[in-house]
């Protein structure tokens, strides 16, 4: 009812409502420790950032075109909007699962599960061409993203008690999400949605290849 301006005004209001919670964040203890600055740790950190970048590019790409893909499989814009809202909200269960599981089973196994599920869900959304698979894929995609993201950030966090790799990972994630839609637009214009799906899957697999050795090293630390 309020158009695009209503959406942006809602972002402002929600951000203001979040401000008081910042005062509840714990103070950094004096004994937090120094950055593990050895060349080996720097290489692990850079590799983790590269993985986060690829993952974010892929997710930005599929999110930007998920509405158009839904319309091509037979949904109206309103139905796609409802599906995106409901599946994204339900996808928060992935973060709850990650919180409950923690690092039991090892970071590599959990990251492989999350990124693997993300790749399968991408195929369901972009390549399968079925309305049922599209809806199921949207739900699986949201759960996989919210499950894998804490482990990607947590792996970076384990490299530095002061959180500097985590901050860098969050920043490069924003860059990747910003680049994803533009890259996706070029691919869709030239080759269609199946190639976009292959691109997102390649980003997910590349992120996994990069992060799994880092996760194994972190588990050994």
């Amino acid at each position: 009812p309020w158009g695009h301006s209503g959406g942006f005004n809602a972002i402002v209001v929600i951000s203001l409502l979040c401000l008081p919670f910042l005062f509840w964040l714990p103070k950094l203890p004096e004994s937090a420790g120094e950055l593990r600055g050895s060349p080996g740790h720097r290489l692990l950190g850079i590799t983790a950032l590269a993985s986060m970048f690829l993952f974010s590019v892929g997710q930005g790409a599929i999110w930007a075109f998920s509405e158009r893909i839904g319309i091509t499989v037979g949904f109206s814009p309103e139905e796609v909007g409802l599906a995106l809202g409901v599946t994204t909200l339900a996808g928060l269960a992935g973060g709850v699962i990650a919180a409950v599981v923690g690092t039991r089973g090892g970071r590599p196994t959990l990251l492989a599960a999350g990124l693997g599920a993300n790749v399968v869900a991408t195929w369901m959304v972009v390549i399968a061409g079925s309305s049922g698979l599209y809806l199921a894929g949207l739900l699986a995609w949201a759960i996989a993203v919210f499950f894998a993201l804490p482990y990607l950030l947590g792996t970076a966090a384990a490299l530095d008690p002061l959180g500097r790799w985590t901050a860098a990972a969050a920043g490069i994630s924003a860059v990747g999400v910003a680049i994803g839609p533009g890259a996706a637009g070029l691919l869709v214009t030239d080759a269609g949605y199946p190639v976009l799906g292959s691109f997102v899957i390649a980003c997910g697999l590349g992120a996994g290849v990069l992060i799994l050795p880092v996760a194994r090293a972190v588990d050994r630390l």
Side-chain angles (χ1 to χ4, degrees):
W2 298 288
H4 292 95
S5 62
F8 284 107
N9 288 330
I11 293 173
V12 173
V13 171
I14 292 170
S15 299
L16 291 173
L17 290 174
C18 289
L19 283 176
F21 294 97
L22 296 179
F23 296 101
W24 289 3
L25 293 174
K27 302 287 187 185
L28 185 68
E30 294 293 334
S31 58
E34 294 300 320
L35 175 66
R36 296 168 180 172
S38 68
H41 280 91
R42 284 196 294 272
L43 179 59
L44 290 175
I46 292 169
T47 306
L49 295 185
S51 175
M52 177 64 82
F53 176 75
L54 281 178
F55 179 77
S56 301
V57 168
Q59 306 322 300
I62 189 173
W63 177 254
F65 281 87
S66 54
E67 181 192 18
R68 303 306 307 170
I69 295 168
I71 291 172
T72 63
V73 297
F75 292 106
S76 70
E78 293 79 9
E79 290 171 334
V80 175
L82 180 61
L84 288 173
V86 171
T87 55
T88 302
L89 187 62
L92 293 173
V96 174
I97 294 170
V100 172
V101 173
T103 56
R104 289 190 292 274
R107 286 181 177 86
T109 301
L110 296 165
L111 278 163
L115 294 175
N118 183 259
V119 165
V120 173
T122 296
W123 178 84
M124 293 169 68
V125 171
V126 184
I127 297 177
S130 159
S131 58
L133 281 176
Y134 171 81
L135 286 176
L138 271 184
L139 178 59
W141 176 80
I143 292 173
V145 168
F146 285 114
F147 179 83
L149 191 57
Y151 290 110
L152 287 167
L153 290 171
T155 300
L159 294 172
D160 176 16
L162 297 180
R164 284 170 279 196
W165 284 118
T166 316
I172 205 164
S173 172
V175 175
V177 170
I179 290 174
L186 292 174
L187 290 171
V188 169
T189 300
D190 293 338
Y193 293 122
V195 173
L196 170 61
S198 299
F199 170 73
V200 177
I201 288 172
C203 286
L205 294 175
V209 168
L210 289 170
I211 199 63
L212 292 181
V214 180
R216 282 195 293 269
V218 164
D219 275 0
R220 289 196 302 266
L221 290 174

